[in-house]
Amino acid sequence: MRPIGRHRIPFSGPVGLHGPELQAAARHFGRRRFLTLTAAAAALAFATHVPARGATAARRLDPARISEDPFTLGIASGDPLPDSVVLWTRIAPAPYEPGGGLAGQSVAVEWELAQDEGFGLVLRSGTALALPEYHHTVHVDVTGLDAGRPYYYRFRTGPWISETGRTRTAPAPGAAPGALTFAAVSCQAYHDGYFTAHRHLAQEDLDMVLHLGDYLYEYPVNSAGGARGYADRVLPAVFDRETVTLEDYRLRYALYKSDPDLRAAHAAHPFVVTWDDHETENNYAGAVDEHGSPAAEFLLRRAAAYRAYWEHQPLRADRAPVGPDLPLYRRLHWGSLAQFDLLDTRQYRSDQAYGDVQHTPGAESDDPARTMTGAAQERWLLDGWRASDAVWNVMPQQVCFSQRRLSTDVRAKMSMDAWDGYRASRGRILTGAQSAGVRNLVVLTGDVHVGYAFDIKADFDDPASRTVGTEIVATSVASGKDGTERPANWQTYLTANPHLRFYDGRRGYVRMRLTPDTARADFRTLAAVTTPGSPVSTAASFVTEAGNPGLTAV
């Protein structure tokens, strides 16, 4: 059994807490068959409420009968391509109730996409069916759009109209845009503070937002919203438990997406999302959870978490999960300026070495058979780099990629949950980048609730070795509460890691601007998140020149 990590919350129950369909899957397939992901996927394919044939014609609710605002969880867009973008919403007049207050009925939802905010010229429109099997979420892949331009969109059902969202398409293949401005965010624990960072994101002039994981947390949220300390409301008791079942995860997304600051950020910009661990459970690795549960049991929970994640994010239909498997890693392009290779470092990784406690590197962590990405994803990444003609190759992912010695000891301990616990896997990635001719590598990271800027070294133990890329670590939106500019280990980390160029422990996000000549990172920080409305400021800015890896403070 894996030792308990620093974020350990008692597990709230056994497999019996799962819905009847998932319990039936577990009974139908024996444990020995369930020990492989393939068998689990087969078992759960029928067990996650896939609509039956003919469901679109059954149990239809007249939208005119919806008496309360159904757009309580806002709208979103995401994964912009040159000719299409995904639009999302969920119909939930009672978002904190199971089923969202729609009693299992389907609802017709109209959508419009226009070239202007006033919808004077509507370019695309249609009707989607919000099905109870998909928790009344709507995913519309709007195609046939012009490349490299903004659009406005909204939804309507019955007498109700959603807020207006602004999105955009990516530039055409081969186009050479002069700039791309985006933000990177991660780690938004509702119970640790307000999402003020998202309110500021909504006001930034951005082309898109990259969410690097921990969109929600599985931990209980009490009636006062934890550190938010609500005095004007009482949250329902359904949130004051760890998420385990499909209903638990769905309700938790309702809590997070009802936050007005997060809603504002989604309405303002298209999001490109990937997950880390807390969308399912702390520090899980593949089919292994932190409690040492049987694989069959944890895969039921993973299936529920993955299903709820896809339902509540602006992802295309081809990303829908099959049981406990969801194909999340993917590639997006911004003309010839940038290629984004989004990784999934949870679903396919080997279990953490040395029981997932801080440890000096050794035979177990350095075993070449260990992988952070799985073999298929690793091949996909390296093949994509070999085919890339982009100026900047950007790799959004979850956990610290650069070496991070946790003390100044000669044999310093490192995190076994980060790439330091998978050094052979990291070596293959860096060797593959060099072999592919990647000259401008930018790694984007979340997870650790602080802001870092690293020079990626060919040999991290030799400060004089060649710099081969840049890693920018986005601090948390709220996780860790207010934080501090210089945590207690600030000087230790900077001394122990000469390639670490910046370290700040406050909340916020990173704003990045890519041009054909430079990549600029602005670390945007907040003084507090336990009280709302904190102003944002730029703590530091760094530039990397194209063709000359390495960070320069500006």
Side-chain angles (χ1 to χ4, degrees):
M1 178 178 293
R2 174 181 301 173
I4 294 171
R6 65 182 184 275
H7 299 302
R8 171 71 155 90
I9 297 292
F11 186 60
S12 62
V15 69
L17 287 180
H18 288 281
E21 295 87 355
L22 298 183
Q23 293 180 50
R27 288 193 299 269
H28 184 71
F29 286 79
R31 177 172 295 181
R32 299 178 75 181
R33 286 190 63 193
F34 235 139
L35 291 179
T36 68
L37 293 180
T38 301
L44 290 164
F46 69 91
T48 47
H49 303 283
V50 176
R53 182 175 297 177
T56 56
R59 302 163 63 198
R60 187 81 62 92
L61 173 68
D62 180 358
R65 297 179 60 189
I66 300 177
S67 59
E68 301 290 336
D69 180 10
F71 296 107
T72 53
L73 306 182
I75 59 177
S77 68
D79 277 16
L81 300 178
D83 63 348
S84 70
V85 70
V86 179
L87 308 181
W88 177 93
T89 193
R90 181 182 150 202
I91 305 303
Y96 295 171
E97 296 178 6
L102 292 176
Q105 301 176 87
S106 60
V107 182
V109 181
E110 301 171 32
W111 58 270
E112 295 179 311
L113 183 137
Q115 73 171 16
D116 62 301
E117 193 170 6
F119 289 82
L121 181 58
V122 174
L123 303 174
R124 296 285 188 279
S125 64
T127 300
L129 201 58
L131 296 167
E133 293 88 351
Y134 293 142
H135 210 45
H136 301 100
T137 59
V138 173
H139 301 73
V140 179
D141 188 1
V142 186
T143 60
L145 303 179
D146 292 335
R149 58 152 299 165
Y151 291 94
Y152 297 86
Y153 66 97
R154 64 186 179 187
F155 296 89
R156 181 198 309 264
T157 187
W160 302 99
I161 301 176
S162 74
E163 63 259 56
T164 294
R166 185 179 187 272
T167 189
R168 67 174 306 115
T169 49
L180 161 64
T181 305
F182 64 90
V185 298
S186 70
C187 303
Q188 50 194 47
Y190 187 99
H191 57 278
D192 272 358
Y194 289 89
F195 293 167
T196 311
H198 281 302
R199 177 61 59 177
H200 291 294
L201 270 183
Q203 297 164 0
E204 297 265 18
D205 184 11
L206 304 173
D207 294 305
M208 64 180 178
V209 174
L210 294 170
H211 201 295
L212 302 173
D214 292 345
Y215 189 96
L216 59 67
Y217 280 67
E218 76 274 29
Y219 302 148
V221 181
N222 67 22
S223 60
R228 296 187 177 206
Y230 289 144
D232 61 343
R233 74 199 77 173
V234 177
L235 295 180
V238 295
F239 300 124
D240 200 10
R241 62 180 184 237
E242 186 171 344
T243 55
V244 178
T245 69
L246 181 58
E247 183 176 292
D248 289 340
Y249 286 106
R250 285 169 162 175
L251 284 167
R252 194 60 54 88
Y253 279 105
L255 175 64
Y256 276 61
K257 282 185 166 289
S258 65
D259 181 272
D261 295 336
L262 180 56
R263 285 181 57 169
H266 272 299
H269 313 295
F271 270 55
V272 177
V273 300
T274 185
W275 55 36
D276 194 13
D277 51 341
H278 288 287
E279 289 90 349
T280 301
E281 188 230 35
N282 178 56
N283 279 18
Y284 80 94
V288 181
D289 73 359
E290 70 171 338
H291 309 285
S293 307
E297 183 176 307
F298 176 63
L299 287 173
L300 290 174
R301 182 179 184 180
R302 202 178 88 172
Y306 285 11
R307 177 58 174 262
Y309 182 86
W310 176 82
E311 287 175 342
H312 289 86
Q313 299 292 3
L315 292 166
R316 288 181 169 83
D318 62 0
R319 301 292 164 184
V322 176
D325 302 325
L326 189 155
L328 192 60
Y329 65 86
R330 62 204 188 279
R331 179 171 294 122
L332 298 172
H333 298 88
W334 205 261
S336 62
L337 180 62
Q339 175 174 300
F340 292 86
D341 296 285
L342 284 93
L343 300 191
D344 172 359
T345 64
R346 287 293 167 188
Q347 187 173 181
Y348 311 107
R349 68 157 70 187
S350 306
D351 193 13
Q352 289 91 338
Y354 300 112
D356 195 18
V357 297
Q358 295 175 1
H359 203 280
T360 56
E364 184 177 343
S365 58
D366 287 347
D367 183 350
R370 290 174 48 72
T371 178
M372 178 67 85
T373 62
Q377 185 177 192
E378 183 178 302
R379 287 193 302 271
W380 167 86
L381 174 64
L382 301 186
D383 288 346
W385 280 345
R386 281 190 285 269
S388 174
D389 61 358
V391 175
W392 299 97
N393 285 102
V394 185
M395 188 175 82
Q397 53 94 54
Q398 290 72 50
V399 295
C400 269
F401 185 80
S402 299
Q403 180 170 286
R404 188 172 54 124
R405 293 162 54 92
L406 304 179
S407 75
T408 56
D409 296 343
V410 174
R411 285 185 49 77
K413 293 181 178 179
M414 301 180 191
S415 169
M416 294 297 101
D417 187 56
W419 288 84
D420 283 333
Y422 303 76
R423 298 203 302 178
S425 188
R426 178 172 63 199
R428 291 192 296 271
I429 298 300
L430 290 178
T431 299
Q434 181 178 2
S435 174
V438 172
R439 299 177 65 237
N440 301 309
L441 174 64
V442 177
V443 178
L444 299 178
T445 301
D447 181 61
V448 288
H449 309 169
V450 298
Y452 290 137
F454 289 101
D455 286 337
I456 301 174
K457 307 298 286 187
D459 180 356
F460 285 108
D461 292 322
D462 178 7
S465 70
R466 186 167 53 93
T467 298
V468 297
T470 296
E471 181 177 11
I472 301 297
V473 180
T475 187
S476 62
V477 169
S479 305
K481 302 179 183 177
D482 291 334
T484 183
E485 181 178 0
R486 294 190 175 185
N489 56 16
W490 184 83
Q491 188 59 59
T492 298
Y493 279 20
L494 287 171
T495 302
N497 302 283
H499 55 286
L500 175 58
R501 305 293 305 282
F502 172 76
Y503 176 13
D504 191 294
R506 291 171 290 184
R507 308 297 142 241
Y509 55 94
V510 173
R511 181 181 62 205
M512 291 202 69
R513 182 173 177 83
L514 305 182
T515 73
D517 301 317
T518 60
R520 177 182 174 122
D522 299 316
F523 288 88
R524 306 278 280 163
T525 57
L526 305 169
V529 295
T530 54
T531 55
S534 179
V536 67
S537 61
T538 300
S541 298
F542 292 86
V543 166
T544 298
E545 296 179 350
N548 184 27
L551 293 159
T552 301
V554 294

